[in-house]
Amino acid sequence: MNIILEDSHCRDQLFPFTYTRHIADIRIGILTIRQKWERLTGQPISAKIGGSTSKELIINANIIPSLDNFKSILSNDPQQFKGFEYPWQLFQLNDEAIRMDFQLLTKGRKSQAISSTNKTINKPDIFIEEGAQVEHSILNASTGPIYIGKKAVVMEASLIRGPFALGEHAVLKMGSRVYGATTIGPYCIAGGEIKNSILMGFSNKAHDGYLGDSVIGEWCNLGAGTSNSNIKNTAGEVRYILNKNKETIGAGHKGGLLMGDYSRSAINTSFNTATVVGVCCNIFGNSMPSKYIANFSWGIERYDLNKAIKDIDNWKKLKGFTITDQEMAMITRLYNSKQ
């Protein structure tokens, strides 16, 4: 039976990340939702919005599968399993998700040898994939597992406290301080102070500055000194604006930056608590940015579409990629929809 991951029931609640992807391709823990299902079932997994046939098993794409629960999901009514509903739940659930993916990826396997230049705590919960480089750093897995992906680099003097995941070809720069539960996705460059955050992939937070209780999409860049607040000065409830109607929803007492794909901030940008940045925004100026920044914002103006596409391609070339026809079509549709 074919498994179909379906997301029409809640994709609108997971903006800005579902502007540019199916929920199945959201990264939480080490892997995306689709990648988890493919590893667990050993078969390709399709994702779509609505529709099914009698030969398809429809599963809500926002359910996080694991070695412990996936058989129950497949053998029972998938609708009884509750998944994440809002984008801030990605960082709230990332601790558990990293632990589940660590078990999935490392069960029955042996880590690459850990260099003697490192200081380790709870070494059995540290796994380094082939080709990764980790030297002269402190790896503390007493609070959760640490996973270092293929050909990733942890530069010297980095301080890592699990749960932590560094994706393939990603780089953690010298002197970084990372608290769990944090995921640095594939091809990301990270540095400075990071806590309980997700960089989905191909993004940069390469310099000093604080990123906490936040989710950053793909192909984003946080300029040097960029920091975010993750708690109100009153210690009151954090509320996110989820749409252009300015409706707010409470997210608990801690909540940082939610940034959609292809967005960038200038040096020394300061983001307020519970700020939402849309897709393809260029954030700069002398004042603190708004707590809700619409798609294709260029400062206080609207990005020109052709320039937006050219700038995305420029950023992708820095990592050896180029913008695809599919991406250009998706970006054009989103731009013209004026969401």
Side-chain angles (χ1 to χ4, degrees), residues 94-149:
N94 202 42
D95 185 301
E96 182 181 6
I98 291 176
R99 295 174 193 270
M100 292 190 300
D101 282 354
F102 185 86
Q103 181 186 21
L104 174 61
L105 289 170
T106 66
K107 186 176 181 180
R109 300 177 61 221
K110 185 176 181 181
S111 169
Q112 176 180 283
I114 302 174
S115 171
S116 61
T117 67
N118 298 294
K119 171 68 175 177
T120 63
I121 304 173
N122 194 23
K123 192 173 181 178
D125 277 351
I126 301 171
F127 195 95
I128 300 178
E129 294 281 7
E130 181 181 353
Q133 302 174 42
V134 186
E135 299 288 350
H136 295 284
S137 294
I138 296 178
L139 311 176
N140 181 1
S142 65
T143 52
I146 293 173
Y147 176 87
I148 310 297

Side-chain angles (χ1 to χ4, degrees), residues 264-314:
R264 303 173 291 278
S265 66
I267 62 170
N268 295 323
T269 301
S270 295
F271 288 104
N272 213 330
T273 313
T275 293
V276 178
V277 176
V279 173
C280 197
C281 297
N282 192 4
I283 300 158
F284 59 90
N286 294 324
S287 60
M288 181 172 282
S290 168
K291 290 186 66 172
Y292 181 83
I293 301 174
N295 296 334
F296 302 101
S297 293
W298 172 275
I300 61 173
E301 300 178 0
R302 183 167 167 82
Y303 227 136
D304 175 78
L305 176 60
N306 291 329
K307 179 169 174 53
I309 290 173
K310 183 178 184 299
D311 291 347
I312 289 170
D313 192 46
N314 288 339

Side-chain angles (χ1 to χ4, degrees), residues 207-255:
H207 305 286
D208 282 338
Y210 177 71
L211 183 71
D213 299 288
S214 297
V215 183
I216 308 298
E218 294 188 346
W219 299 106
C220 297
N221 189 75
L222 303 183
T226 294
S227 290
N228 77 276
S229 168
N230 64 341
I231 188 169
K232 296 176 70 172
N233 283 345
T234 62
E237 183 185 44
V238 170
R239 299 187 67 85
Y240 281 95
I241 299 170
L242 273 190
N243 54 52
K244 58 188 177 184
N245 296 325
K246 306 297 183 181
E247 297 168 344
T248 64
I249 300 179
H253 287 88
K254 285 200 174 181

Side-chain angles (χ1 to χ4, degrees), residues 74 84 222:
L74 296 178
F84 56 88
L222 303 183

Side-chain angles (χ1 to χ4, degrees), residues 124-188:
D125 277 351
I126 301 171
F127 195 95
I128 300 178
E129 294 281 7
E130 181 181 353
Q133 302 174 42
V134 186
E135 299 288 350
H136 295 284
S137 294
I138 296 178
L139 311 176
N140 181 1
S142 65
T143 52
I146 293 173
Y147 176 87
I148 310 297
K150 291 181 180 180
K151 297 185 179 180
V153 176
V154 177
M155 292 184 178
E156 53 270 28
S158 291
L159 309 176
I160 301 172
R161 187 177 181 89
F164 173 73
L166 187 67
E168 60 181 315
H169 294 277
V171 176
L172 191 63
K173 295 182 72 176
M174 288 191 298
S176 299
R177 293 95 63 206
V178 184
Y179 303 81
T182 291
T183 298
I184 309 298
Y187 290 89
C188 287

